[in-house]
Amino acid sequence: MHKETVFIVDDDASVRDSLSLLLSLQGYVSASFASAEDFLSALQPDWRGCLVVDVRMNGMSGLELQRCLQERGPTLPVIVITAHGDVAAARQAFLADAVDFIEKPFDGKQILDALANAFASLRAVATAQEASVEATPVRSQLSTREREVMKLIVEGLHNRHIADKLGISPRTVEVHKARVMEKLGVQNIVELVRLADKGLI
């Protein structure tokens, strides 16, 4: 565990096995745990690497594990995976500094790209403090109505509720939603939430 290790925490044995195989083929060292409790009981202060954790598990959830680790101070970067993605879960994960929030079923490239980002960040922190990159807010690209729709989407409201709140039709909400995602260059709600939590919109 003294090397950079990918720690897989998922109560689905098939997911643990498939991820372990994928990672070994890419040269990663991995260690698997069937529960958050198992991981915490084994965790050592000198472990280095990245955590890949499922949201819904028996006992402690992946988000609870992420929060627990965050409270302990600087620790392993976390990639959250889930078959039950929603805005609230994504927001909670990113507020706790998740590297990525990936919905199942996922392909290997998504995980490998997220891991590459996590380890690159770890190495940057190890060599020097990360430079603060000033990002230009992109909210100015949106119309007033699009900003209203976007705000309610990020808050987790569904199209029908947004329509009721703004006094427009669900179809109009869908049109504004499509324009928002096109203008901001995002593919899904998770990416939109990520932008919002980084203060870019």
Side-chain angles (χ1 to χ4, degrees), residues 18-19 22-23 26 52 79 81-82 100 102-115:
S18 62
L19 275 175
L22 170 68
L23 297 175
Q26 297 297 319
V52 178
I79 296 168
I81 58 176
T82 182
D100 212 336
I102 300 175
E103 296 187 60
K104 299 175 182 177
F106 49 78
D107 59 41
K109 186 176 185 303
Q110 287 176 285
I111 290 289
L112 294 174
D113 286 349
L115 285 171

Side-chain angles (χ1 to χ4, degrees), residues 15-66:
V15 173
R16 296 197 304 273
D17 291 344
S18 62
L19 275 175
S20 294
L21 177 60
L22 170 68
L23 297 175
S24 67
L25 292 174
Q26 297 297 319
Y28 285 103
V29 176
S30 67
S32 297
F33 301 86
S35 71
E37 290 84 354
D38 287 350
F39 174 76
L40 286 174
S41 67
L43 180 61
Q44 299 296 318
D46 61 344
W47 282 8
R48 298 290 178 267
C50 180
L51 184 66
V52 178
V53 60
D54 189 26
V55 170
R56 291 192 184 179
M57 296 183 288
N58 292 322
M60 181 183 287
S61 73
L63 296 178
E64 288 171 333
L65 172 59
Q66 183 189 15

Side-chain angles (χ1 to χ4, degrees), residues 66-112:
Q66 183 189 15
R67 189 165 58 249
C68 177
L69 292 175
Q70 190 182 43
E71 289 169 356
R72 296 185 178 195
T75 184
L76 307 167
V78 177
I79 296 168
V80 177
I81 58 176
T82 182
H84 309 279
D86 58 48
V87 170
R91 172 179 286 280
Q92 187 176 340
F94 285 124
L95 284 175
D97 295 327
V99 174
D100 212 336
F101 185 94
I102 300 175
E103 296 187 60
K104 299 175 182 177
F106 49 78
D107 59 41
K109 186 176 185 303
Q110 287 176 285
I111 290 289
L112 294 174

Side-chain angles (χ1 to χ4, degrees), residues 124-188:
V125 170
T127 54
Q129 288 191 335
E130 283 187 273
S132 174
V133 178
E134 191 104 3
T136 304
V138 293
R139 67 172 67 86
S140 57
Q141 299 176 20
L142 305 178
S143 70
T144 300
R145 179 63 87 189
E146 287 166 352
R147 286 197 295 273
E148 290 173 342
V149 170
M150 178 200 69
K151 179 176 181 293
L152 295 173
I153 291 171
V154 170
E155 288 176 1
L157 273 66
H158 295 292
N159 289 353
R160 183 168 55 80
H161 297 129
I162 295 173
D164 291 344
K165 203 169 184 67
L166 297 180
I168 56 180
S169 71
R171 174 61 188 152
T172 302
V173 171
E174 198 57 51
V175 170
H176 285 309
K177 182 177 175 181
R179 286 177 180 164
V180 166
M181 296 179 77
E182 180 183 1
K183 287 182 178 182
L184 299 184
V186 298
Q187 301 298 314
N188 52 51

Side-chain angles (χ1 to χ4, degrees), residues 1-7 44-50 76 119 122:
M1 301 296 186
H2 62 284
K3 297 176 66 176
E4 288 184 340
T5 302
V6 181
F7 302 96
Q44 299 296 318
D46 61 344
W47 282 8
R48 298 290 178 267
C50 180
L76 307 167
F119 284 117
L122 280 175

